[in-house]
Amino acid sequence: MKISMERNQLLTPLQVAHAVVERRQTLPILANVLITATEHGFRLSATDLEVELSVPGFLEACASPGATTLPARKLLDLCRALPDGTRLTIETVGDRATVRAGRSRFSLSTLPASEFPAIDVSGDALELELPQSELRRAIESTHFAMAQQDVRYYLNGMLLEIQDGRARLVATDGHRMAVTELPVSPPEGTSRRIIVPRKTVIEALRLLTDDGTPARLGIGNDHLTLSAADVVFKSKVIDGSFPDYERVIPRNQDKVLDIDRLALRDAMGRVAIFANEKYRSVRLQLQPGLLRLSANNTENEEAEDELEVDYAGAELEIGFNVSYLIDVLNALRSASVRLHLSDAGSSCLITEPGGGVGRYVIMPMRL
């Protein structure tokens, strides 16, 4: 293989692909990036055996097509260290690759392209197409509720459920839950239910843009593919049973209040400064027309704030993790939010007054 390109033509796709490469690998080839070159361009691929990312690139010249794998971190550091506008030539001979840039010359070790472990996405997959901005927004509204390194491995990801013309995303860590949905157009009578790993969710957020260009999803029983702007992302899915989230959503709560979202978020942020660092608890005292927020910590410091609310029901005192509340308020976009409450021992449901597609459930804390 012998190819030539301008420095940024390699650096840009390399930065995207390198995000998948883990620093600590059990297999040496997982630290490498696969370069496949043809007369029409090249593709960079990286994998950690759970996810695989393939990014296209432009070539100025391809004297000899071919494929090889190169150390991802060293190649990235080299590209960053070279001046902008530098022309690179990469040539492989045997198990070595030579990179020439002006008067500079670098020799890198390679591993055979045939040893690169591609993720198998064979089998029937449900194909969907939807705007990148809508998919990104749905993920942004949900992903923060995923668990991190929970022993219940099925919580370390996000449920993707396709049913009845809707794509529903659900994330929970056992203390809070986020549910959002968006319309899709699957073939009639088809449905899918998979758990997408946390790393895949984070990478999808990084790749998707806020414009209306389409993203294509391929949802199989044991894999997921995402294609956007010629970038192809493949992922295995988590093998497990996601909790029955519908049963967790509170019903028929008799205490409902509407409140300005930003005013509540800012008040929560002020009170959170004085919350216990370990438990992050905040006390909500609700009475007609008024919501009082308070917190204290082990240094006997206290904070209290009051907000006017649209509420005419009975008085209630309840505690929550203030960080969970702030996460929801940051995820929503509406001017106001609606809190559905019942008693001090029941979960809080947060929605948008206009009937938005997001639903957020937060378990209470003992005061």
Side-chain angles (χ1 to χ4, degrees):
M1 183 184 76
K2 185 176 182 180
I3 54 178
S4 299
M5 78 284 288
E6 193 268 330
R7 172 249 196 188
N8 285 340
Q9 292 171 342
L10 177 60
L11 177 60
T12 300
L14 187 56
Q15 287 174 321
V16 176
H18 182 266
V20 173
V21 179
E22 297 285 355
R23 287 186 176 272
R24 298 178 181 178
Q25 299 287 0
T26 54
L27 296 175
I29 199 165
L30 297 181
N32 283 17
V33 61
L34 172 66
I35 302 180
T36 305
T38 68
E39 295 178 354
H40 306 290
F42 71 95
R43 294 196 75 90
L44 295 179
S45 301
T47 184
D48 65 356
L49 297 181
E50 296 297 325
V51 297
E52 179 185 329
L53 189 59
S54 178
V55 190
F58 175 78
L59 288 177
E60 290 186 354
C62 180
S64 176
T68 190
T69 73
L70 296 172
R73 167 54 62 179
K74 292 177 182 177
L75 189 60
L76 179 61
D77 289 344
L78 174 58
C79 287
R80 286 172 172 169
L82 292 170
D84 192 15
T86 302
R87 189 171 187 270
L88 301 176
T89 298
I90 301 176
E91 183 177 8
T92 58
V93 178
D95 62 353
R96 310 296 293 180
T98 301
V99 180
R100 291 183 172 85
R103 296 183 178 181
S104 302
R105 176 183 172 278
F106 311 91
S107 179
L108 289 79
S109 62
T110 69
L111 289 172
S114 59
E115 296 182 7
F116 188 81
I119 292 179
D120 182 15
V121 293
S122 60
D124 293 336
L126 174 60
E127 301 289 340
L128 299 174
E129 185 173 294
L130 62 163
Q132 290 192 53
S133 56
E134 292 185 11
L135 181 57
R136 179 182 176 84
R137 175 70 189 126
I139 296 174
E140 285 178 335
S141 302
T142 314
H143 80 286
F144 60 87
M146 292 186 296
Q148 298 189 50
Q149 298 180 336
D150 197 296
V151 293
R152 297 166 293 183
Y153 59 92
Y154 48 84
L155 298 184
N156 299 318
M158 178 185 293
L159 175 69
L160 172 57
E161 185 179 62
I162 309 296
Q163 193 171 18
D164 300 327
R166 311 291 292 181
R168 183 168 294 168
L169 305 178
V170 186
T172 180
D173 60 7
H175 303 284
R176 56 178 170 172
M177 183 175 72
V179 182
T180 192
E181 58 184 34
L182 64 163
V184 294
S185 301
E188 187 174 352
T190 59
S191 63
R192 283 290 192 277
R193 184 182 172 95
I194 61 172
I195 305 175
V196 184
R198 179 184 182 85
K199 183 173 183 178
T200 301
V201 173
I202 301 303
E203 285 301 316
L205 266 182
R206 197 171 64 88
L207 293 173
L208 292 168
T209 64
D210 287 323
D211 59 34
T213 56
R216 293 175 296 279
L217 284 174
I219 307 168
N221 293 322
D222 59 357
H223 69 271
L224 172 73
T225 62
L226 169 63
S227 302
D230 292 328
V231 177
V232 180
F233 190 66
K234 304 175 185 177
S235 172
K236 296 181 180 179
V237 302
I238 296 176
D239 184 15
S241 297
F242 201 81
D244 183 1
Y245 62 89
E246 288 284 2
R247 191 178 64 177
V248 177
I249 299 175
R251 314 285 183 187
N252 304 318
Q253 291 165 302
D254 59 346
K255 298 176 178 62
V256 181
L257 65 141
D258 291 347
I259 187 170
D260 183 272
R261 178 179 67 88
L262 295 180
L264 179 58
R265 186 193 67 180
D266 293 345
M268 288 282 184
R270 292 189 293 268
V271 171
I273 297 171
F274 297 89
N276 183 288
E277 292 185 5
K278 181 178 181 180
Y279 299 106
R280 304 291 293 162
S281 59
V282 62
R283 184 188 304 264
L284 279 64
Q285 295 170 289
L286 182 63
Q287 59 190 63
L290 184 68
L291 174 64
R292 180 178 293 111
L293 309 173
S294 60
N296 56 66
N297 55 39
T298 55
E299 286 77 34
N300 293 321
E301 298 170 329
E302 298 179 349
E304 186 175 292
D305 212 329
E306 293 183 350
L307 295 169
E308 293 183 359
V309 296
D310 182 8
Y311 177 71
E315 294 187 5
L316 173 67
E317 185 172 299
I318 188 171
F320 293 105
N321 183 312
V322 67
S323 298
Y324 293 171
L325 290 170
I326 292 175
D327 283 345
V328 172
L329 296 173
N330 282 329
L332 291 169
R333 299 284 181 88
S334 55
S336 60
V337 294
R338 178 166 293 170
L339 275 62
H340 307 252
L341 299 160
S342 180
D343 54 60
S346 300
S347 298
C348 171
L349 172 64
I350 303 177
T351 62
E352 296 178 357
V357 295
R359 290 176 290 172
Y360 303 89
V361 180
I362 302 177
M363 292 180 61
M365 298 183 70
R366 184 176 299 176
L367 296 172

